[in-house]
Amino acid sequence: MRSILFIASAVGAGLAFGRKYLERGVSAQKNKAIESAAVETRRQIKRHADDFLRKSFRSFAIATGIKLLILASLWGLSHAGVFERPYFIWSVTGVLAVFLIRDIWVTWPFVRLGVTELSRYGWHPKRALGEVVAGHVFQQVLTEAQSVPASRSSKVMLVLAGQSREGLEHDIATSVAAIARDTSWSDLRPFLISAGIKTGALMIIYSVSVFLLMA
């Protein structure tokens, strides 16, 4: 009986040691996956932000150029004597009203989304930005993790380590989303500042041009 108890305790200790060893291995692999996913996620966030702001500014610049071309055409027709100045003023006023309605129509979805997110998070822009980014990152990382096929050996290892694939995927997605939340403002700030400066400069040029045409 004493021999049996000794063997049983030895086997139990070995299983406990093996489980702790597997837990450490799974934890180390999870941390590596989180670090790798966080680096790639931040890179994607910067790339997507740069692409989106570039396309947005390009569209804004093209629309502004078309507006100036239309106003300049009206100015040219007026100075060529095609119609008198009162008709020129009314034409420019009507065109500017159409431009304003068009701008409101185009920007309204983005304004509504921004107001909704800001009101949800207490009108704190940085916090709202971080939460929106974290939410998208969590869903993306979780979807990508779930799409990776699991081998039989990995399933067995997770069971022996007392872990589940679903729990592991959720932990990775949560951790990467938290990193994205904390770094979103520092990552996106250069792109936002650059886009704001470009847009502001173009708006000043447009406003000065309209003022000179009307003068």
Side-chain angles (χ1 to χ4, degrees):
M1 180 63 69
R2 185 175 301 176
S3 302
I4 294 174
L5 292 176
F6 178 77
I7 294 173
S9 61
V11 171
L15 291 175
F17 176 79
R19 180 168 182 172
K20 289 183 179 180
Y21 178 78
L22 290 176
E23 288 177 352
R24 287 197 297 268
V26 171
S27 179
Q29 292 298 321
K30 182 176 72 173
N31 292 334
K32 289 182 180 179
I34 291 172
E35 292 176 1
S36 177
V39 172
E40 179 61 25
T41 297
R42 295 182 66 181
R43 186 182 297 112
Q44 289 182 7
I45 289 173
K46 294 178 181 179
R47 184 173 65 252
H48 291 330
D50 187 31
D51 292 342
F52 175 77
L53 293 175
R54 282 178 182 271
K55 292 179 181 178
S56 299
F57 178 75
R58 187 183 301 113
S59 300
F60 178 72
I62 292 173
T64 303
I66 294 174
K67 292 177 184 178
L68 287 177
L69 182 61
I70 294 174
L71 293 174
S73 299
L74 292 175
W75 181 87
L77 292 174
S78 175
H79 280 262
V82 176
F83 49 79
E84 298 179 356
R85 182 168 179 78
Y87 295 102
F88 167 72
I89 295 176
W90 282 109
S91 299
V92 171
T93 302
V95 168
L96 291 176
V98 172
F99 290 166
L100 180 61
I101 295 173
R102 179 262 177 194
D103 292 339
I104 293 175
W105 177 266
V106 171
T107 58
W108 172 245
F110 300 99
V111 173
R112 182 176 59 184
L113 177 62
V115 171
T116 301
E117 296 300 329
L118 285 173
S119 61
R120 180 181 302 177
Y121 299 108
W123 298 96
H124 297 292
K126 291 183 181 180
R127 180 184 175 189
L129 177 64
E131 293 297 337
V132 171
V133 171
H136 286 291
V137 168
F138 177 84
Q139 291 297 332
Q140 180 180 358
V141 173
L142 188 61
T143 301
E144 291 179 357
Q146 291 175 345
S147 64
V148 177
S151 62
R152 184 182 301 273
S153 59
S154 63
K155 292 180 180 179
V156 173
M157 294 290 288
L158 287 176
V159 171
L160 293 177
Q163 301 277 350
S164 66
R165 177 181 170 90
E166 292 76 12
L168 202 62
E169 293 169 347
H170 189 275
D171 290 344
I172 293 175
T174 302
S175 300
V176 176
I179 294 174
R181 180 188 296 109
D182 295 337
T183 60
S184 59
W185 175 246
S186 61
D187 289 339
L188 298 178
R189 180 173 54 189
F191 301 100
L192 296 175
I193 292 176
S194 176
I197 293 174
K198 293 178 181 178
T199 302
L202 193 57
M203 290 179 65
I204 292 174
I205 295 174
Y206 174 73
S207 300
V208 171
S209 300
V210 172
F211 174 79
L212 293 176
L213 288 174
M214 295 297 293

